[in-house]
Amino acid sequence: MSGTRPSAVIVLAAGEGTRMKSRTPKVLHAIGGRSLLGHALHAARGLDPERLVAVVRHEREQVAAHAAAMDPEVL
């Protein structure tokens, strides 16, 4: 980036996974050794934001716990 640090990055992590024909929330499916949410958080953290926020809905407790495990500073 050109010397500017984003104040926040917001990751939308609210998919059910219905079209994936799975009861597992979409963002918790793994690909390439990391969950889809893990990939998004990793990419977002690469921007070095002051705050990183994950918006969760479906199975929020499970998804929020996974997000916190991937990045303890995620809000």
Side-chain angles (χ1 to χ4, degrees):
M1 283 175 76
S2 60
T4 58
R5 181 178 182 198
S7 59
V9 172
I10 300 171
V11 175
L12 302 178
E16 285 186 46
T18 308
R19 288 178 292 228
M20 297 175 89
K21 302 199 186 308
S22 173
R23 290 180 183 227
T24 301
K26 182 185 329 184
V27 297
L28 299 184
H29 282 270
I31 187 166
R34 188 181 283 165
S35 68
L36 296 176
L37 178 55
H39 282 289
L41 292 175
H42 180 75
R45 192 50 81 190
L47 298 173
D48 191 29
E50 292 177 29
R51 280 180 233 120
L52 178 54
V53 178
V55 176
V56 298
R57 183 179 153 271
H58 181 70
E59 298 289 338
R60 72 181 52 115
E61 293 83 15
Q62 183 182 9
V63 175
H66 181 74
M70 296 288 96
D71 187 327
E73 294 180 20
V74 72
L75 301 173

